[in-house]
Amino acid sequence: MTPTALIFDLDGVITDTAEYHYQAWQRLADEEGLPFDRAANENCRGISRRESLLVVLGGRPATEEQMQTMMARKQGYYEESLDQIGPDDLLPGVAGLLDALDAAGIPYALASASKNARPVCERLGIAGRLAALADGYSVERQKPHPDLFRFAAAGLGVAAANCLVVEDAAAGVEAALAAGMPALALGPADRFGGLLADGRVTRRDDLRDVTLDELAAAAAFDPGWHVVQSGFDPATQHHMETIFTLGNGAFATRGTFEEGYPGESALTLAHGVWDDMPIVFTELVNLPNWLRLTITIDGDDFRLDQGRVLDFQRYTDLRAGVLRRAVLWQAPNGKTVDLHFERFIAYPRRHVAAIRLLVTAVSHPCAVVVRAAIDGHVANQDLLHLNLEEQGKSGDTVWLRARTRHTQRALAVAAALSAETSADNGTERAADLCAGQPALLATADLKPGQTLQLDKLVAITTDRDPPAGHAPATGEAPASWPAPWPK
Ligand code: BG6
Ligand code: MG
């Protein structure tokens, strides 16, 4: 799969300003008598000026005023080196690659945490060739948060999932993965540690002699570890829900969409939680649907049977046990958003599951409302097995208790929601205790390029679990459960 677009980091990828940043920090550290060297500087790679200063300070206390002064001094030292930068300072391989991308009609953007990124690109003579530029002024949350790369993709007008990120920093590779993008990591393997085990990361020493075929390979899924669906086809929906089931041996959930889909078969089954009906057969009980996220974009509910699906990708990363889905969607009201979902059911903590959602405004500013619910109105093909007994809210968590109608098994589902945004005005939070569907809400007003990030953390327990205080140690199944894998 050839990437639709590339997003380049600047310092250490396009030009060697990473060295100038290091020298400026070293000068400041020497003047301040702070222990700092090249090895410590590795921790500054890719992160913001303020975060870098915290690394340089190494825990030494400083007032906000002192920090501002030190950042200004470092900036002054850095600016001294900027005068030396010119078109000859592109790192080896960069000029050839940009020419090849131009010739192939593949657009590229720059996404750097640096507030100096624009003047540096101008000095290098590449500013006019960039389809978008995201810098230290573009978003609040810097790498390793996904916001800067999502901002760049929105600027390109390309589905985030179709952008390949080129990075020299571990924090940048982490940010790319968090943004739902594959990454080409440049530099020694030990710089990236465990990130290289991710099937979406490819490493090279630098961009020398890189080919478009290599970029295509870096953007491709790993056929050994990724179960992939590219493009949305309603005709295969039921089948795909089965394929994208996740489970941990204690409970499992079919791969239905968080927002729902007409005719879907949403199903969560827990080991041993069955109901016995005199009129039919004994069966495992469909538990409350913990996936539910209702996402409203300026009044239009996100759903794939409405509006326009401009891009759709879904894959399970078998190595990590994570299901991801990326959708570029135009609402009936004409506004385009880029959504990225990640879901897992924890293996070491058998009661826990989580969903992360990123919503990025692409074409217009929009008000986004997300309702994260526990949906107790579930059945096994119209057969009700659950009596909903009680629901409520404690702190930032909503919960629902239920009992199977005939076997009288008790169970409870709880959900907590955290929300962060790159929008300057933050998010608003609320709860909605609608009967049988308790929910937490988060609202944000996003400008184009801004991202709302939501984490929904869920716990499911049943009376088959050990009593409180006898919880199994992390990674162990309780004695009453059979071994998760056949021996
Ligand atoms: C990143 C560099 O690109 O930009 C970091 O890798 C640097 O080392 C950061 O701290 C912020 O740069 P600036 O120019 O805003 O101080
Ligand atoms: Mg860099």
Side-chain angles (χ1 to χ4, degrees), residues 139-163:
V139 296
E140 296 285 318
R141 301 190 316 165
Q142 290 299 340
K143 302 168 192 177
H145 292 290
D147 303 8
L148 194 70
F149 290 131
R150 307 272 309 172
F151 184 94
L156 284 161
V158 165
N162 291 332
C163 296

Side-chain angles (χ1 to χ4, degrees), residues 270-309:
H271 188 75
V273 180
W274 46 272
D275 201 25
D276 207 358
M277 303 281 284
I279 45 164
V280 271
F281 39 80
T282 301
E283 62 184 353
L284 289 167
V285 174
N286 189 8
L287 302 188
N289 184 357
W290 59 275
L291 298 177
R292 193 58 81 221
L293 293 176
T294 307
I295 304 156
T296 311
I297 310 297
D298 265 344
D300 283 350
D301 281 352
F302 165 63
R303 34 189 291 182
L304 294 191
D305 61 326
Q306 290 184 8
R308 285 175 65 208
V309 180

Side-chain angles (χ1 to χ4, degrees), residues 76-120:
Y77 303 153
Y78 181 72
E79 274 172 20
E80 286 174 25
S81 16
L82 286 191
D83 293 341
Q84 306 163 30
I85 297 178
D88 292 342
D89 289 307
L90 293 175
L91 279 166
V94 173
L97 174 57
L98 298 189
D99 288 346
L101 291 171
D102 287 343
I106 299 175
Y108 46 91
L110 189 108
S112 165
S114 173
K115 292 183 168 161
N116 295 292
R118 190 173 290 278
V120 170

Side-chain angles (χ1 to χ4, degrees), residues 159-239:
N162 291 332
C163 296
L164 173 69
V165 168
V166 186
E167 257 293 349
D168 71 313
V173 172
E174 225 179 291
L177 295 176
M181 302 174 182
L184 178 62
L186 302 182
D190 59 357
R191 183 185 292 167
F192 301 102
L195 289 166
L196 296 181
D198 193 296
R200 305 240 60 198
V201 181
T202 310
R203 193 200 67 82
R204 247 180 159 265
D205 289 335
D206 52 39
L207 288 173
R208 228 176 288 244
D209 303 323
V210 70
T211 63
L212 295 187
D213 283 348
E214 274 183 77
L215 298 182
F221 289 101
D222 177 345
W225 288 101
H226 295 152
V227 179
V228 182
Q229 178 191 12
S230 290
F232 176 63
D233 176 3
T236 62
Q237 189 49 12
H238 189 78
H239 171 63

